[in-house]
Structures are given as C-alpha cells and as structure tokens.
Amino acid sequence: MSGKGEAVTRRTEGRGGEGAAYVLSRGVVVLFAVACGAAVANVYFSQPLLVTMGHDLAMSPALVGGVVTLTHVGYGLGLFFLVPLGDVADRRRIVVAQLSLLVVALAVVATARTAAVLLAGMAATGLLAVVTQTLVAFAASLAPPGGRGRVVGLVTSGIVIGILLARTASGLLADLAGWRSVYLASATLTAVLALILYRVLPRPIAAPTTLRYGQLLRSTLTLFAREPLLRLRAVYCLLVFAAFSTLWSSVALPLSEAPYFLPHRAIGALGLIGVAGALAATVAGRLNDRGLSRRTTGIALALLAASWLPLAFTRSSLWALAAGVILLDLAVQAVHVTNQTLIYALHPDAGSRLIGGYMVFYSLGSATGAIAATSLYTVAGWGAVCVLGAAFSCLGLVVWVGSGWRELRTKPSPARG
C-alpha cells in the first residue's frame, strides 16, 4: 500500500484472499480500526463504574471485583476458542454474527437487575469482544504483503485508542446518564457497525480450510511448537503488556492521593495523553514494511525501559507522568504492531490462529502486571511499582539481545555457506 488515501487492490491467495479483486481503501482500514476500538472498549468500560454498579445492585466487594475478572476471563477464552474460527469459516459472517451477539450481551448488562445477570452479561461481553482479533486477521489478509505493516499499524492504533479512551468515555457518560447508559450506547454503536461491516466487507470466493474444530484448536498449539519466531514474539507480547498493565492498573492510586487528590474523571482523562503514543503505531507498521522489524523492536524496548524514569517522578510532577505515558504507549504499540505483522506473515492461511494464540500472551501479561502492581503498591508504594515495570521492560530488552546473539551463532559463515 502506498500513498495517502490510495486504494489498493488485492487478488485472492487461497484462504487468505477475501474477494476476487477487493479494493482495500484507507476508508475501509479506518472502519476496521473504529470497529476494533469500539469492540475492545467493552472490556474496559466497567473499571470506573464498579462502585456505582455495586451500590445499584447491592453487590459485595468480592462480587464487584468479579465484574472485571469475568470479563477478562471471557476474553481469554474467546481468544483461544473463537478467534481461530476465522481460518475455517467466512470471516465476514463471523464478524457480523459476533457483533450481533455482542449487542445482545451489552443489552443484558444494561438491563441487569441482579448481580448474577450482570456477571453473566459481562462474561459474555468479554467472550464476544474478541471479534477485535478476528478483524485484525481479516484486515491483514486483505492487505498486500508490502503494505501489511501499515494496515496492521492503523488497525492496532484503533484498538489502543479504544482501550485508552474507554475509561474516560464511560466515566463521562455515567456522570451524565448513569452507568447503564454506557452499555446502551455501546450496544447501539455496535449494531450500527455490524450493519456497515455487513455491507462493506467482501464475501469469500475460496473454500474454507477443511479442518474440524478439534483439529483447529490443536493446530494452534502445533504452530507454537513449530515456529520459533512465534514463540519469541509471544514472549515480547507478555512482557510489554505486563509493563503496560503495571502502569495503567495502578496509576490511579497515587493520583487519587496527596498531593493531587484528582477526581476519577481527571484520572480517566490521562488516557487522552496515551493516545499520542498509540498513534505512533502506524510508524512502526511502515518500518516493518521496510524490513526494519528487529531494529524497531530493539528501539521500542529501550524506550519502554526508559519510560519508567520519568514515571518514577509521578508524585512530584504531572509533566513527568505525561512524558512517561507517551513513551510507554509508543513503545508498547511499536512492539505489538511489529509482532502481529511478522507472525501473520508466517502462515497467512492460519492468520486467525496465529493472532488468537499470540493474544493469549497479551491476556497473561496484562493479568500479571495488574495483579503484581496493585499488590506491590499496597505494601511498598509507587517507587516499587516503577521498579516492577522497569524489570518487565528490561527483561524484554535482554530477550531481544539474546535473540540477536542466537541468530549470529546459528547463521552460517561465508566459508560454510
């Protein structure tokens, strides 16, 4: 893909192609990004609303905590059990079906009158929100190989913006019309997107892979066993999202205490600063298209480690916090875009399985960072949280250096070549 707003035509390549000569315009790529951001935001809407939900439905603190837990558990299950279906069925139908079911799940949450109904609705919402990853694989399959990094970068920017703005949007909307309005609004937007995507996305002309469902799931594990690059990139994913979650799951704690005492809306607005870094994901995609994936990864991991220096001064300077947030989000998204671009190219016909299996490590990393950071803050404070985040980041850099040495040692010498 070359030039701004320039349409790209891609012919079908077996299962990877989704139309005889489908034109992937910039507008369609933006539509993918918007749909991805809107879907994944549903996983994060509840975080600033937990206290209000608990009071409204007379939930105990343990049950309130289960809202977030069940949503993420549902998302993790969907990554493994639902996303791979994109390799054996019509992705267009899968996307529209999952979005339609997501509308139902959101409506259940918005109208829940008991804790049990709310928790069931949140688990279903997390399970179906993995349509985001099906859309990523779909967009990658439609992009020409030379422009795939740019397309994945744009779509990933939409995902990150959705994650970062979800808390801000839900907090503002809840203040205006109550917490239920957040899910009603999301259900409406999701329904509109389902209709648009139904009309815009191409129909496949190639027969799907004839794998049974059990074989499909086993083949996901087989791909990890066979592909060293997939394993390496999964490790990067786990570490960078552990660092990402270390920051975003705990930063509200020091900001709500002395000397700031910031309200929830102001803390949620911090996500707006992170968007600046997320938008740089498109630059990483372009660098990947130029064959600079290893260098991009190394620079990004170095920036990720460096971001914790200004973040350590959060209690004394909001400017330092802002600088650290931008650096961290830029670095995480650069690695993430690079990872997805490289692993999809391994087996385009197994793109959904590759993306779904890879994103399981995203869930593991996010959960690890969140649990460790909040626990550590309670016993040792913000400084210890920053040390934890820097440790995840530096470990990623060590893995990057080690993988480079391994490549040099296994590369044939000119004499033997």
Side-chain angles (χ1 to χ4, degrees):
M1 182 176 292
S2 61
K4 289 186 177 180
E6 194 174 314
V8 175
T9 300
R10 173 156 187 226
R11 302 227 171 242
T12 51
E13 296 177 6
R15 175 67 188 100
E18 303 290 342
Y22 184 71
V23 178
L24 184 64
S25 66
R26 185 178 180 86
V28 174
V29 177
V30 171
L31 176 61
F32 270 107
V34 171
C36 285
V40 78
N42 292 297
V43 179
Y44 299 90
F45 280 146
S46 65
Q47 292 183 359
L49 310 177
L50 294 176
V51 174
T52 306
M53 286 178 169
H55 287 161
D56 189 20
L57 299 178
M59 298 168 66
S60 67
L63 279 179
V64 171
V67 170
V68 174
T69 301
L70 282 176
T71 307
H72 283 279
V73 168
Y75 195 83
L77 292 173
L79 288 172
F80 188 77
F81 290 104
L82 293 184
V83 174
L85 290 172
D87 290 334
V88 295
D90 177 1
R91 285 194 180 115
R92 174 175 167 271
R93 288 186 177 181
I94 289 175
V95 166
V96 174
Q98 286 190 4
L99 286 174
S100 300
L101 291 172
L102 182 57
V103 171
V104 176
L106 291 168
V108 168
V109 172
T111 57
R113 297 299 173 187
T114 65
V117 173
L118 175 69
L119 293 172
M122 294 304 299
T125 296
L127 182 73
L128 295 164
V130 296
V131 67
T132 301
Q133 304 309 322
T134 303
L135 284 164
V136 172
F138 201 165
S141 74
L142 295 172
R148 185 171 291 140
R150 178 172 174 266
V151 170
V152 172
L154 282 167
V155 175
T156 302
S157 292
I159 295 173
V160 180
I161 291 171
I163 293 173
L164 293 174
L165 296 188
R167 302 170 184 87
T168 305
S170 65
L172 290 174
L173 198 56
D175 285 343
L176 292 173
W179 71 266
R180 296 178 187 274
S181 68
V182 175
Y183 293 95
L184 287 174
S186 183
T188 303
L189 176 59
T190 303
V192 171
L193 287 169
L195 289 173
I196 295 173
L197 289 168
Y198 177 77
R199 295 181 61 86
V200 170
L201 297 181
R203 293 174 174 82
I205 64 167
T209 304
T210 56
L211 285 176
R212 294 180 180 178
Y213 185 63
Q215 294 173 319
L216 185 72
L217 298 182
R218 286 194 296 272
S219 69
T220 303
L221 301 176
T222 302
L223 287 168
F224 275 92
R226 291 180 178 175
E227 298 292 348
L229 179 63
L230 178 57
R231 296 195 298 271
L232 174 64
R233 291 290 157 174
V235 171
Y236 288 146
C237 177
L238 188 150
L239 292 173
V240 299
F241 279 103
F244 182 86
S245 185
T246 295
L247 172 67
W248 287 107
S249 63
S250 61
V251 70
L253 299 174
L255 294 180
S256 61
E257 300 171 351
Y260 301 118
F261 299 109
L262 295 180
H264 291 298
R265 278 179 292 177
I267 295 172
L270 186 62
L272 297 172
I273 300 173
V275 169
L279 291 174
T282 57
V283 177
R286 293 178 186 273
L287 292 173
N288 278 282
D289 291 338
R290 293 168 54 189
L292 300 174
S293 56
R294 175 166 170 77
R295 186 177 303 177
T296 301
T297 303
I299 293 173
L301 289 170
L303 289 176
L304 182 62
S307 70
W308 291 99
L309 181 59
L311 287 172
F313 292 93
T314 292
R315 285 194 177 278
S316 57
S317 172
L318 289 177
W319 288 107
L321 171 62
V325 164
I326 292 173
L327 282 176
L328 182 138
D329 285 347
L330 186 158
V332 169
Q333 298 321 310
V335 176
H336 190 41
V337 169
T338 302
N339 289 347
Q340 292 187 100
T341 304
L342 290 176
I343 65 173
Y344 184 89
L346 290 171
H347 298 283
D349 59 330
S352 292
R353 279 167 283 172
L354 289 166
I355 296 294
Y358 163 84
M359 286 299 294
V360 169
F361 288 81
Y362 152 85
S363 292
L364 292 174
S366 297
T368 300
I371 294 170
T374 51
S375 301
L376 195 59
Y377 184 86
T378 303
V379 298
W382 180 248
V385 171
C386 291
V387 171
L388 174 68
F392 286 132
S393 307
C394 290
L395 184 55
L397 200 55
V398 168
V399 172
W400 179 80
V401 172
S403 68
W405 279 108
R406 191 159 52 249
E407 287 177 13
L408 289 174
R409 293 183 63 181
T410 57
K411 186 176 180 179
S413 65
R416 285 183 290 176

